């Protein structure tokens, strides 16, 4: 079974016309329905002068949006990222999502010599620890997020020499 999503937006002003695309095609793997296995291919694109007034949250990567965005934290623009992803839930209490994307700048405007922003890898595990501990509606959940960015020639030589990693463990209790 295949499905997908497509989001397209356009901005214009007297000086510029910019656009955004967020697309994903997904294949829900037959024979693995019980584990909700899904393989996807997508493309995320923000043109050079895109104003991220409504897109400042770290949609694909917390590490990248806060560490490698040259115009400021949450200032997604001038980035294009074809990517593949894989999602699986080997048992009902765990969902694991992997993403591998190649990021590049449509326009060469970075501090380095090129347009290659680098490779992005994310591994996001969401899990349920316990339900109905003290009441019928409470739940103890969490997530473990691992991200890796291998920066390219869009950045300075010093930045290119440092592969960045980010790890977060988050535990939540809802009642």
């Amino acid at each position: 079974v295949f499905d997908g999503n497509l989001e397209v937006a356009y901005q214009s002003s007297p000086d510029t016309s910019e656009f955004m695309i967020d697309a994903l095609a997904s294949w829900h793997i037959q024979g693995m329905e019980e584990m909700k296995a899904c393989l996807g291919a997508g493309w995320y694109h923000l043109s050079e002068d895109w104003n991220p007034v409504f897109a400042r949250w770290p949609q694909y990567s917390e590490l990248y949006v806060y560490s490698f965005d040259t115009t400021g934290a949450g200032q997604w623009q001038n980035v294009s990222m074809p990517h593949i992803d894989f999602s699986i839930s080997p048992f009902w209490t765990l969902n694991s999502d992997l993403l591998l994307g190649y990021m590049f700048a449509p326009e060469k405007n970075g501090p380095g010599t090129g347009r290659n922003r680098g490779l992005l890898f994310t591994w996001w595990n969401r899990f349920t620890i316990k339900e109905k501990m003290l009441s019928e509606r409470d739940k103890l959940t969490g997530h473990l997020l691992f991200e890796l960015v291998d920066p390219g020639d869009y950045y300075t030589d010093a930045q290119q020499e440092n592969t960045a990693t980010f790890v977060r463990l988050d535990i939540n209790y809802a009642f």
Side-chain angles (χ1 to χ4, degrees):
V1 176
F2 291 92
D3 64 21
N5 71 284
L6 174 64
E7 179 182 1
V8 178
Y10 176 78
Q11 295 176 344
S12 68
S13 70
D15 300 329
T16 186
S17 291
E18 303 299 326
F19 68 99
M20 172 271 223
I21 296 173
D22 188 6
L24 180 66
S26 298
W27 172 47
H28 301 271
I29 302 170
Q30 290 183 344
M32 298 183 75
E33 292 89 359
E34 202 170 290
M35 291 190 283
K36 301 177 185 171
C38 184
L39 183 63
W43 181 37
Y44 185 65
H45 178 89
L46 298 173
S47 52
E48 180 183 13
D49 291 324
W50 177 260
N51 183 344
V53 66
F54 297 115
R56 292 189 179 179
W57 66 287
Q59 185 169 351
Y60 286 96
S61 170
E62 292 189 33
L63 170 64
Y64 185 76
V65 77
Y66 294 126
S67 302
F68 283 96
D69 206 336
T70 59
T71 56
Q75 296 294 314
W76 286 95
Q77 65 187 95
N78 193 31
V79 64
S80 200
M81 183 182 69
H83 59 88
I84 56 172
D85 60 43
F86 179 70
S87 178
I88 193 164
S89 185
F91 36 93
W92 74 270
T93 59
L94 175 67
N95 186 54
S96 188
D97 298 306
L98 296 109
L99 179 137
L100 179 62
Y102 169 69
M103 300 179 294
F104 64 93
E107 302 294 327
K108 187 176 169 285
N109 67 353
T113 60
R115 297 179 354 159
N116 175 9
R117 285 182 175 255
L119 291 175
L120 169 66
F121 172 76
T122 65
W123 183 22
W124 197 323
N125 297 281
R126 294 173 188 89
F127 49 86
T128 300
I129 300 169
K130 184 88 171 146
E131 293 182 14
K132 301 178 183 178
M133 295 182 302
L134 302 175
S135 72
E136 284 295 310
R137 295 177 31 201
D138 71 347
K139 185 186 269 191
L140 185 60
T141 61
H143 71 254
L144 175 63
L145 173 62
F146 172 78
E147 297 188 25
L148 184 135
V149 172
D150 186 16
D153 62 6
Y154 182 81
Y155 302 100
T156 66
D157 289 340
Q159 288 172 314
Q160 290 176 50
E161 294 173 9
N162 294 291
T163 299
T165 56
F166 175 80
V167 177
R168 181 180 61 227
L169 174 64
D170 192 40
I171 304 293
N172 297 292
Y173 177 71
F175 54 94

Short mmCIF file of all heavy atoms in Angstrom, two decimals, residues 29-50:
data_model
loop_
_atom_site.label_atom_id
_atom_site.label_comp_id
_atom_site.label_asym_id
_atom_site.label_seq_id
_atom_site.Cartn_x
_atom_site.Cartn_y
_atom_site.Cartn_z
N ILE A 29 5.00 -1.76 3.96
CA ILE A 29 5.54 -3.03 3.48
C ILE A 29 4.58 -4.18 3.77
O ILE A 29 4.22 -4.44 4.92
CB ILE A 29 6.93 -3.29 4.10
CG1 ILE A 29 7.86 -2.12 3.75
CG2 ILE A 29 7.50 -4.61 3.64
CD1 ILE A 29 9.17 -2.12 4.48
N GLN A 30 4.18 -4.87 2.69
CA GLN A 30 3.28 -6.01 2.82
C GLN A 30 3.98 -7.15 3.56
O GLN A 30 5.17 -7.38 3.38
CB GLN A 30 2.81 -6.48 1.46
CG GLN A 30 1.88 -5.52 0.79
CD GLN A 30 1.36 -6.03 -0.54
OE1 GLN A 30 1.90 -6.97 -1.11
NE2 GLN A 30 0.31 -5.41 -1.02
N GLY A 31 3.25 -7.81 4.39
CA GLY A 31 3.80 -8.89 5.19
C GLY A 31 4.37 -8.41 6.52
O GLY A 31 4.74 -9.21 7.36
N MET A 32 4.46 -7.09 6.67
CA MET A 32 4.99 -6.52 7.92
C MET A 32 3.98 -5.54 8.52
O MET A 32 4.35 -4.63 9.25
CB MET A 32 6.33 -5.83 7.68
CG MET A 32 7.41 -6.77 7.18
SD MET A 32 9.00 -5.96 6.99
CE MET A 32 9.52 -5.80 8.69
N GLU A 33 2.70 -5.73 8.22
CA GLU A 33 1.65 -4.82 8.71
C GLU A 33 1.60 -4.80 10.23
O GLU A 33 1.35 -3.76 10.83
CB GLU A 33 0.28 -5.23 8.16
CG GLU A 33 0.11 -5.02 6.68
CD GLU A 33 0.55 -6.24 5.86
OE1 GLU A 33 1.00 -7.26 6.45
OE2 GLU A 33 0.43 -6.17 4.64
N GLU A 34 1.84 -5.94 10.86
CA GLU A 34 1.78 -6.01 12.33
C GLU A 34 2.82 -5.10 12.98
O GLU A 34 2.59 -4.55 14.05
CB GLU A 34 1.97 -7.46 12.77
CG GLU A 34 1.43 -7.74 14.13
CD GLU A 34 1.42 -9.22 14.42
OE1 GLU A 34 0.60 -9.96 13.81
OE2 GLU A 34 2.23 -9.65 15.27
N MET A 35 3.97 -4.95 12.32
CA MET A 35 5.03 -4.08 12.85
C MET A 35 4.97 -2.67 12.28
O MET A 35 5.84 -1.85 12.55
CB MET A 35 6.40 -4.70 12.58
CG MET A 35 6.64 -5.96 13.37
SD MET A 35 8.35 -6.53 13.25
CE MET A 35 8.34 -7.27 11.63
N LYS A 36 3.97 -2.39 11.47
CA LYS A 36 3.78 -1.07 10.87
C LYS A 36 5.02 -0.60 10.13
O LYS A 36 5.39 0.57 10.19
CB LYS A 36 3.36 -0.06 11.92
CG LYS A 36 2.08 -0.41 12.63
CD LYS A 36 1.75 0.58 13.71
CE LYS A 36 0.53 0.13 14.49
NZ LYS A 36 0.31 0.94 15.66
N ALA A 37 5.70 -1.51 9.43
CA ALA A 37 6.92 -1.16 8.70
C ALA A 37 6.58 -0.31 7.48
O ALA A 37 5.68 -0.64 6.71
CB ALA A 37 7.65 -2.42 8.25
N CYS A 38 7.31 0.78 7.34
CA CYS A 38 7.03 1.73 6.27
C CYS A 38 8.35 2.31 5.75
O CYS A 38 9.20 2.74 6.54
CB CYS A 38 6.14 2.84 6.81
SG CYS A 38 5.62 4.02 5.58
N LEU A 39 8.51 2.32 4.44
CA LEU A 39 9.69 2.88 3.79
C LEU A 39 9.25 4.10 2.99
O LEU A 39 8.26 4.02 2.25
CB LEU A 39 10.33 1.84 2.88
CG LEU A 39 11.62 2.21 2.17
CD1 LEU A 39 12.73 2.48 3.18
CD2 LEU A 39 12.03 1.08 1.23
N GLY A 40 9.96 5.20 3.15
CA GLY A 40 9.56 6.43 2.48
C GLY A 40 10.70 7.11 1.75
O GLY A 40 11.87 6.91 2.06
N ALA A 41 10.32 7.91 0.76
CA ALA A 41 11.26 8.77 0.04
C ALA A 41 10.62 10.15 -0.04
O ALA A 41 9.44 10.28 -0.37
CB ALA A 41 11.54 8.22 -1.36
N GLY A 42 11.42 11.15 0.29
CA GLY A 42 10.85 12.49 0.32
C GLY A 42 11.82 13.56 -0.12
O GLY A 42 12.99 13.30 -0.42
N TRP A 43 11.30 14.77 -0.13
CA TRP A 43 12.10 15.94 -0.50
C TRP A 43 11.57 17.13 0.29
O TRP A 43 10.36 17.40 0.30
CB TRP A 43 12.00 16.21 -1.99
CG TRP A 43 12.81 17.38 -2.48
CD1 TRP A 43 14.03 17.78 -2.05
CD2 TRP A 43 12.43 18.30 -3.50
NE1 TRP A 43 14.45 18.88 -2.75
CE2 TRP A 43 13.49 19.22 -3.65
CE3 TRP A 43 11.31 18.44 -4.31
CZ2 TRP A 43 13.44 20.27 -4.57
CZ3 TRP A 43 11.27 19.47 -5.22
CH2 TRP A 43 12.33 20.37 -5.34
N TYR A 44 12.48 17.81 0.95
CA TYR A 44 12.16 19.04 1.69
C TYR A 44 12.97 20.16 1.05
O TYR A 44 14.18 20.02 0.87
CB TYR A 44 12.52 18.88 3.16
CG TYR A 44 12.11 20.03 4.03
CD1 TYR A 44 10.78 20.33 4.22
CD2 TYR A 44 13.06 20.82 4.67
CE1 TYR A 44 10.38 21.39 5.03
CE2 TYR A 44 12.67 21.88 5.47
CZ TYR A 44 11.34 22.15 5.65
OH TYR A 44 10.96 23.20 6.44
N HIS A 45 12.31 21.25 0.69
CA HIS A 45 13.00 22.33 -0.01
C HIS A 45 12.47 23.69 0.45
O HIS A 45 11.26 23.91 0.49
CB HIS A 45 12.78 22.20 -1.52
CG HIS A 45 13.41 23.30 -2.31
ND1 HIS A 45 14.70 23.23 -2.77
CD2 HIS A 45 12.93 24.50 -2.69
CE1 HIS A 45 14.99 24.34 -3.42
NE2 HIS A 45 13.93 25.13 -3.38
N LEU A 46 13.40 24.55 0.79
CA LEU A 46 13.08 25.96 1.08
C LEU A 46 14.01 26.81 0.22
O LEU A 46 15.23 26.66 0.28
CB LEU A 46 13.31 26.29 2.55
CG LEU A 46 12.45 25.53 3.56
CD1 LEU A 46 12.91 25.84 4.98
CD2 LEU A 46 10.99 25.85 3.39
N SER A 47 13.47 27.71 -0.57
CA SER A 47 14.31 28.52 -1.45
C SER A 47 15.11 29.54 -0.65
O SER A 47 14.94 29.70 0.56
CB SER A 47 13.46 29.17 -2.53
OG SER A 47 12.36 29.85 -2.00
N GLU A 48 16.01 30.23 -1.35
CA GLU A 48 17.06 31.02 -0.69
C GLU A 48 16.53 32.08 0.27
O GLU A 48 17.03 32.22 1.38
CB GLU A 48 17.93 31.70 -1.75
CG GLU A 48 19.04 32.53 -1.12
CD GLU A 48 19.87 33.27 -2.15
OE1 GLU A 48 19.47 33.35 -3.33
OE2 GLU A 48 20.93 33.78 -1.76
N ASP A 49 15.57 32.85 -0.12
CA ASP A 49 15.08 33.94 0.75
C ASP A 49 13.75 33.61 1.41
O ASP A 49 12.98 34.50 1.77
CB ASP A 49 14.95 35.23 -0.07
CG ASP A 49 16.31 35.78 -0.47
OD1 ASP A 49 17.26 35.65 0.33
OD2 ASP A 49 16.43 36.32 -1.59
N TRP A 50 13.48 32.33 1.59
CA TRP A 50 12.25 31.91 2.25
C TRP A 50 12.19 32.50 3.64
O TRP A 50 13.15 32.44 4.41
CB TRP A 50 12.20 30.39 2.32
CG TRP A 50 11.00 29.86 3.04
CD1 TRP A 50 10.96 29.41 4.33
CD2 TRP A 50 9.68 29.74 2.53
NE1 TRP A 50 9.70 29.00 4.65
CE2 TRP A 50 8.88 29.21 3.55
CE3 TRP A 50 9.09 30.05 1.30
CZ2 TRP A 50 7.53 28.97 3.38
CZ3 TRP A 50 7.74 29.80 1.13
CH2 TRP A 50 6.98 29.27 2.16
#
